[in-house]
Amino acid sequence: MRTSHKIYTVAIAGMGKRGTHHAEAFANNPRFRIAGISDTDPQRLDAAVQAFGGDYASTNVTDMLDHTMPDIFAFCTLPQIRLPYIKAGVEAGVKLIAYEKPMAISMNEALEIQRLLSGASIKSVVSHQHRYGDHYKKVKEIIDSGMIGRVQTVYGHATGWMLHMMTHLIEYARWYNGYAEAEWVVGQADGLGKFRDTHSSPEYIAALIHFENGVRGIIECGAGAPDVPEVEAWWRKCRIGAQGTEGFAEVLTGGSGSGGGWRAVTKNGVMSGHGGMDYNHDMHPYVQEIAEWMDDPAKVHPCNGERALKGFEVMMAACRSVVQRGKIMLPLDMGESELSALEYSLANSSGENELNVLKKSFTALSI
């Protein structure tokens, strides 16, 4: 006998590149119906309505939510616009909020988001959707099979900068380590040039992570992170993997024709395969598992907000470590804005270094 499934209504805000990917995935899945669309740009909003339809469109997200009362609210905005949209979704009484990474721009904001969502019993999903790539899954399969022996180190690096890429790297490294809890983080950072970017970040940041199972994590992001010469597209130069007692396995994000794939050296020999980042491929299971979680609370989405919070916490701990010049124990509590404190610390450190150089030069001239 055929079982009928509920069709869930979705309201989507932010119709840029990533918002369009979300809208396409929801529109192409029979478990969802797009009820509303919102974007602050009228022209972009009109184009989205033409492409995806919907019962209601508005340049004001609260207005759109009030008129549609959706089951699911999905939004893809700049990182600075997370908390206001979470509040709008909570006030609208939605059942699930799906939104773009990173989940926040400070630990204070992330903790407030989690408090609001848990207080209203609203599920949340953060779009770390690369895990659905066949090459990402193959590496996970090799690690779990035991072919690389006992995992000792997980790692990830990307040439893109922190707010764009770092939670992706942390999420998949944690996944490859079975989501063991992180106990402490030590970080280092450099460069002020990207703090004025819409994804405000140091030019380079590294995090050394100690997990409760004894595994170490090494994450590097930005200018100065190792190159991935096999991958042509700069934004897709990401390498994530695990090193064990009997070999290693790693994924190269890549993309269509840009050198992605996976490779491993194990006790069974050397192996490799193709693969690449593909939104059309990766977004389908990401969205399908939203429907399955809505159907059954036991089928928790692998990109759930609680996991995203754990990874975001590691990134913020790295920032705090740079500022405080030491090991940061987890979990984190409320504190000063990590990005502001980091920018101030790096600016002062640069000034101190320049002053030391001048002092040395003056001393040499005096001698």
Side-chain angles (χ1 to χ4, degrees):
M1 186 171 119
R2 186 175 178 181
T3 304
S4 62
H5 292 287
K6 179 178 177 179
I7 295 175
Y8 297 105
T9 55
V10 185
I12 304 172
M15 296 307 302
K17 178 182 176 182
R18 289 295 292 127
T20 299
H21 289 146
H22 278 73
E24 288 173 345
F26 282 116
N28 292 331
N29 190 309
R31 297 299 313 280
F32 302 96
R33 179 175 65 82
I34 295 178
I37 295 175
S38 178
D39 194 283
T40 55
D41 183 333
Q43 290 185 330
R44 198 155 62 181
L45 180 62
D46 289 343
V49 171
Q50 291 295 318
F52 307 113
D55 301 333
Y56 191 80
S58 175
T59 56
N60 183 288
V61 69
T62 302
D63 173 61
M64 184 264 292
L65 289 170
D66 287 345
H67 277 83
T68 57
M69 294 186 292
D71 298 310
I72 296 163
F73 175 38
F75 68 88
C76 299
T77 63
L78 293 175
Q80 296 80 2
I81 313 172
R82 296 286 192 265
L83 186 55
Y85 276 35
I86 293 290
K87 288 179 178 177
V90 170
E91 290 169 2
V94 303
K95 298 179 178 67
L96 182 145
I97 298 178
Y99 61 112
E100 186 57 78
K101 55 78 201 164
M103 67 177 296
I105 57 170
S106 71
M107 198 64 211
N108 289 355
E109 186 178 71
L111 290 171
E112 176 64 7
I113 285 171
Q114 195 63 21
R115 185 190 68 80
L116 288 169
L117 293 172
S118 61
S121 298
I122 296 173
K123 299 177 174 69
S124 66
V125 175
V126 179
S127 60
H128 292 119
Q129 80 290 335
H130 296 326
R131 65 180 290 128
Y132 296 104
D134 292 336
H135 50 332
Y136 277 78
K137 292 190 292 185
K138 182 62 177 179
V139 170
K140 175 63 172 170
E141 177 188 315
I142 291 170
I143 294 167
D144 288 350
S145 74
M147 283 195 289
I148 67 168
R150 177 176 56 82
V151 173
Q152 296 176 310
T153 307
V154 289
Y155 55 87
H157 58 80
T159 49
W161 51 97
M162 185 182 82
L163 280 197
H164 277 291
M165 302 303 300
M166 196 168 184
T167 63
H168 269 308
L169 302 176
I170 295 167
E171 169 64 22
Y172 311 131
R174 292 180 64 241
W175 179 36
Y176 289 162
N177 189 30
Y179 288 111
E181 294 289 337
E183 293 187 335
W184 54 259
V185 179
V186 170
Q188 186 57 274
D190 180 66
L192 297 166
K194 295 298 183 184
F195 278 105
R196 300 283 74 82
D197 188 82
T198 54
H199 287 67
S200 180
S201 306
E203 292 176 35
Y204 169 83
I205 187 165
L208 177 66
I209 310 158
H210 178 74
F211 294 98
E212 65 179 3
N213 62 351
V215 171
R216 287 294 174 93
I218 303 170
I219 305 293
E220 295 182 79
C221 224
D227 186 21
V228 185
E230 299 87 346
V231 177
E232 297 171 10
W234 184 75
W235 274 112
R236 298 181 179 189
K237 285 179 174 289
C238 306
R239 186 168 70 102
I240 308 152
Q243 194 171 36
T245 54
E246 298 184 68
F248 76 92
E250 63 184 19
V251 62
L252 312 181
T253 296
S256 178
S258 67
W262 63 272
R263 58 196 179 194
V265 176
T266 77
K267 57 187 178 183
N268 296 340
V270 179
M271 57 191 77
S272 64
H274 298 291
M277 187 177 75
D278 182 349
Y279 287 118
N280 291 329
H281 177 281
D282 300 348
M283 287 300 295
H284 172 72
Y286 170 81
V287 162
Q288 175 60 28
E289 290 190 321
I290 289 176
E292 293 172 9
W293 194 14
M294 293 287 285
D295 293 340
D296 182 356
K299 293 184 177 180
V300 179
H301 200 290
C303 301
N304 64 80
E306 286 76 12
R307 278 185 178 168
L309 179 65
K310 296 280 189 178
F312 183 81
E313 182 178 50
V314 169
M315 182 170 73
M316 292 295 98
C319 294
R320 290 189 185 187
S321 174
V322 178
V323 174
Q324 298 177 27
R325 294 177 169 83
K327 181 190 297 183
I328 301 297
M329 305 301 296
L330 301 179
L332 299 184
D333 203 346
M334 305 282 276
E336 63 180 327
S337 168
E338 286 83 5
L339 287 174
S340 296
L342 180 56
E343 182 180 12
Y344 180 83
S345 177
L346 291 178
N348 281 353
S349 296
S350 297
E352 289 172 7
N353 291 338
E354 290 170 8
L355 182 60
N356 288 335
V357 170
L358 288 172
K359 285 180 178 178
K360 289 179 181 178
S361 299
F362 180 77
T363 302
L365 286 171
S366 299
I367 292 171

